[in-house]
Each structure stands twice: as structure tokens, then as C-alpha cells.
Amino acid sequence: MTSAPENAGGQSAASPRRSPPHFAEAVQAATAAAADQTGDGFALLFTGSGQGSDPGQSARLRWAAGLPSPEAARDAGSSLLPQVLETLASKTSTRSPAPPDRGDAARGEIVIHPLLVDDRLHGVLAVACPQPLAPPHQAEVLRIAETLSLHFDHAVLSQRVQQTQAQVARARQGFAQKSEEILNLSEALFAQDIELLRNNERLGEIEHLKRDFIERMSHELRTPLNGMIEAIIGVLANEHESLAESSRESLRQALDDGTSFLRTLQNILDLWRVKQRQMTVENQEISFQDVVDEAIFSVQDAASRKPLAIEQEIATPLPKLRSDLAMLSQLVFLLVDNAVKFTTAGTVTVGARIDGDRLICEVRDTGIGIARDDQDAVFDDFFQVETGTSRRYGGAGLGLTLVRELVVLLEGEVSLSSEVGQGTQVTFQVPVEVVG
């Protein structure tokens, strides 16, 4: 979640001076839920009524989700401001094609809903989608906008109740009238409390279903798959002489397919955990040379079936480091495995060096390469260079996506350069502590 530079702590004509408990958390979670409905798009939440001569004051960006930084959120907010002001003026939802300058995250459409309760306008929710929203996602975004409307109206009514109570305490005149007003407002708050509880309960159910699905997929698929792989290994090891060569080859192919599928499943689970912020960095003393050796050993069987050599260019002596061993091991394995998969002949080279307080690792290959037009998208979820290549080389297109997410989690950077028919080089650098 990327918060806009001016968030819940700010003040506008349509937002309360003092937000109720958990107001900011609830609005932030709802904005993130709206961004989830867009796929790889984003969501922006503006407060204001659209009235006044200064657009910056009449509609102000407060929250954002699905964007990489506050600067990106401000740029997106500035681009959508004319449509936001139009929605505020009309008080009706709008859908329109995305402007060409919003990039891939918004190349489909822009959907904007006013945050409106009984003609009280508090702002708008805007979502930008790579593809036009399907009807179920349209309905869910509208429901989230209605929930946000209730959150803001609830906060405004709460402030009015507090102000009215203070006035009653200062002056006894008109006590009956003020008490009636407090009663009416309290009844409205109570009704909205019930509606908010229902909506929040549904959001909780959705999160529970997502977690339950991942856990079931892990248990129902990974456990029997491990059993099948172990059974094949047992047959090949114990009955090697009694098996015909064609049978041994079929079992080896089944073992390769099962291992590949298990790795793809693990990549899906790991990518989900990263995006749910369930993976944390745990630093320990490691030998990066051992990390590289282990990754090369893991792909040696696949590499031995091709006229392919795996070489190392490790700066020696490479000192001991403190970093996350599991994440670095997975990073190097994913890159080496990807290089071996897409290189039919030639070399795969793994290089590493220390530059100050950063570890720099690069994996080069002499494989098929990646077209220049595709290089910006290779780190996207499920990206594959082309359908024919995907069928030939296999994989779900998640390896480089997981590489990017792990590097970001380690607060590092990753880059790629490639030429079709010449090969590819992927380089990542992450901060480390050199211990000797």
C-alpha cells in the first residue's frame, strides 16, 4: 500500500478534524481492497466536495494503493484530477478509457465513484485497471465505495454529535431540542455501525477464503506430489537393472515434470506470501560461495543433458556476509535455473563481487535471449516471451517475478539486458553486512 503525501491526518471541508479510532486503518484497508479488484492497477481516494476555485483544495488526494511510491501516487492523482472534479460536480459514477500517459497499470479504463451519503459528498474513489473490470469486480468496487462513504459520513456525524454535546454542556437553553438532535444523530450512527460491521465482516471472510485456498493448495497438491516424486526416485534407485531403458526414460521424464511442477507450485506459494507480507528478512552469517555452489548443483542434472557448461566468476576471496540465507539461495537458484532452461548450448556464467556494503551478483547465458519490446514486462506475473516458447521450455512465468519481489524485500535492485539469439544477463544487488 502506498499512502499519498496527505493522508488521514489532513483536514478538508468534507473530512473530520479528529478521526474516530481506526478510521485511517479502515480507509487504508478499503483502498487496498479496491486496488486488489483491478489486477495490476491501482486505487486513489480523494476527499473534498469539488467546490471552490482551487482544484487542489476542493479535491485532495489522501490515500493510494497499488503504486510503487508516493511520487507515483501524486503523478497519478494529478493526471486523474479533471475526471475526479467532474465526478464531484455530477455526484454520479463515471467510467472512461484510461489516458495514454498512465502506462500499463491503467491501460484499460478508469472507474470513479462518488463517496455520497444522503447528498453529503465526502470525496471519490478512483480505480485504474489494465483491463476493463468484469461485472463481479465492478460490483465489489462499488460496494467498497459505499463502505468508504459510510466511514467518512460516520466520522462527520461523530464530530457533529461531539460538537452538539459540547454546546449542550455550555448552555442549558434549548436543551430539549439539542437532546432530540443528539438522539437522531446517535440513531443514524447506530444504523451505520451495523452496516459497517456487515461490510467489515465480509472483507474478513474474503481474506479468510484467500488464506484457506493457499493452505489447501499447499496441502492437497504439494504433499501428494512429494510422495509421487519420492516413489519414482525409489523405483529408479532400487529396480534400475530390471527396468527396460524405455521405462527408465519415462520415469526420468515423469520425475523431471513432477519436480518442475513442484517448483512452480512453490513459486506461487512464495510469491503469495511475499505479497501478503508474510515473509520477513532474517539475517545470519553466510558464505555466498556456498550459495552459488548449491544452486549450480541443483541444476546440474538438467544442464548435463545439453552441450552446456556452467562457469563461475566469483571475486576471491569473497568475505562472509550477513543477509537472509533462504532468500539469497532462492534468488541465485531461480536465475541459474532460468538460464539453464533457456540455453540449449553454450555457457551459463555466475558472477559475484562485493562493492562497499552491497553484494552484486550477475547470471549470464548464451541462450535464446529476449526481444527488446518484451524486456520491460519480463518481471510481471505469469509473463512468457511467447506461446510457442512457453510450450517448448515450460514454466509458469513466475521465476523472474519472484526474483523481483525478493530483491525488493531485501531492499535491493535488479536489472536485465538481453539480445535475441545472443543471450541474457540478469544482475541484482542487495545491501549486506560484511563480517570477514
Side-chain angles (χ1 to χ4, degrees):
M1 174 98 185
T2 300
S3 295
E6 299 177 4
N7 52 26
Q11 176 181 329
S12 75
S15 64
R17 296 168 183 255
R18 184 174 300 171
S19 299
H22 310 305
F23 172 83
E25 292 85 351
V27 173
Q28 186 177 14
T31 307
D36 287 343
Q37 298 300 316
T38 68
D40 289 332
F42 57 84
L44 302 176
L45 194 151
F46 294 78
T47 60
S49 62
Q51 303 299 318
S53 59
D54 184 359
Q57 296 297 320
S58 61
R60 301 172 67 182
L61 177 62
R62 297 308 179 99
W63 282 274
L67 290 162
S69 66
E71 291 76 16
R74 283 193 290 266
D75 290 343
S78 298
S79 175
L80 296 182
L81 186 58
Q83 294 165 268
V84 168
L85 292 175
E86 179 183 345
T87 301
L88 288 171
S90 65
K91 296 184 181 180
T92 58
S93 300
T94 61
R95 296 179 66 187
S96 61
D101 62 341
R102 285 281 19 104
D104 289 344
R107 60 178 176 268
E109 65 176 10
I110 304 295
V111 178
I112 305 178
H113 293 297
L115 306 183
L116 190 66
V117 178
D118 294 336
D119 208 40
R120 293 187 294 273
L121 183 62
H122 303 291
V124 299
L125 172 67
V127 296
C129 320
Q131 301 293 337
L133 279 177
H137 297 296
Q138 295 176 27
E140 188 62 16
V141 170
L142 178 59
R143 190 197 64 78
I144 292 171
E146 292 170 349
T147 300
L148 284 166
S149 302
L150 288 172
H151 275 299
F152 278 94
D153 206 56
H154 187 280
V156 171
L157 291 179
S158 296
Q159 181 190 7
R160 289 175 58 187
V161 167
Q162 294 170 3
Q163 291 173 344
T164 304
Q165 289 173 332
Q167 292 172 3
V168 169
R170 290 192 300 266
R172 294 295 182 182
Q173 294 180 353
F175 178 76
Q177 180 181 356
K178 293 297 182 181
S179 297
E180 183 69 20
E181 184 178 349
I182 293 173
L183 179 61
N184 292 336
L185 290 172
S186 297
E187 289 176 351
L189 284 172
F190 181 71
Q192 290 186 352
D193 280 335
I194 294 175
E195 188 64 26
L196 286 172
L197 285 172
R198 290 172 178 167
N199 286 326
N200 289 336
E201 182 180 358
R202 179 172 179 183
L203 286 174
E205 289 176 355
I206 292 173
E207 290 302 316
H208 176 75
L209 287 173
K210 288 165 62 177
R211 288 192 298 269
D212 186 60
F213 169 74
I214 293 298
E215 291 171 0
R216 284 179 178 274
M217 183 170 68
S218 175
H219 176 75
E220 300 295 338
L221 294 181
R222 189 165 54 178
T223 301
L225 186 58
N226 273 321
M228 288 186 286
I229 290 174
E230 291 173 2
I232 294 173
I233 292 174
V235 171
L236 287 173
N238 298 323
E239 302 183 24
H240 188 273
E241 297 299 331
S242 61
L243 290 174
E245 180 59 32
S246 59
S247 298
R248 289 198 297 271
E249 184 59 32
S250 296
L251 286 173
R252 291 192 193 102
Q253 184 62 49
L255 180 61
D256 288 346
D257 292 343
T259 302
S260 176
F261 180 68
L262 183 61
R263 287 173 178 167
T264 298
L265 177 60
Q266 188 62 51
N267 287 346
I268 293 173
L269 296 172
D270 288 342
L271 188 60
W272 184 84
R273 292 190 182 102
V274 170
K275 292 189 174 183
Q276 294 297 312
R277 297 181 177 89
Q278 293 185 358
M279 291 184 69
T280 57
V281 178
E282 298 181 1
N283 290 330
Q284 63 188 97
E285 185 174 314
I286 64 174
S287 166
F288 193 70
Q289 179 67 65
D290 291 345
V291 170
V292 173
D293 291 343
E294 181 180 349
I296 293 175
F297 178 79
S298 298
V299 301
Q300 198 63 57
D301 187 53
S304 65
R305 301 172 193 171
K306 309 176 184 181
L308 177 64
I310 303 180
E311 301 175 351
Q312 297 188 40
E313 293 181 357
I314 309 294
T316 55
L318 197 65
K320 296 283 187 178
L321 311 171
R322 283 190 63 81
S323 187
D324 190 294
L325 174 61
M327 292 187 188
L328 283 181
S329 297
Q330 193 168 13
L331 272 173
V332 178
F333 169 76
L334 287 169
L335 292 178
V336 174
D337 182 61
N338 206 57
V340 170
K341 181 190 302 182
F342 290 100
T343 305
T344 56
T347 59
V348 171
T349 305
V350 184
R353 67 184 189 277
I354 299 295
D355 185 2
D357 62 349
R358 300 184 78 80
L359 167 67
I360 302 175
C361 177
E362 59 186 34
V363 177
R364 304 191 306 273
D365 63 61
T366 58
I368 62 174
I370 302 169
R372 189 174 302 274
D373 291 342
D374 292 329
Q375 291 178 18
D376 289 339
V378 293
F379 294 103
D380 293 346
D381 295 4
F382 301 105
F383 174 83
Q384 295 171 325
V385 176
E386 61 184 22
T387 305
T389 301
S390 302
R391 286 198 298 266
R392 178 182 175 187
Y393 293 95
L398 288 176
L400 289 179
T401 302
L402 186 54
V403 165
R404 178 197 62 192
E405 297 294 339
L406 290 173
V407 169
V408 170
L409 198 58
L410 291 170
E411 299 182 353
E413 301 172 353
V414 62
S415 61
L416 176 144
S417 62
S418 184
E419 292 290 338
V420 174
Q422 300 298 315
T424 300
Q425 173 174 314
V426 180
T427 304
F428 72 85
Q429 52 178 300
V430 294
V432 294
E433 179 185 349
V434 179
V435 295

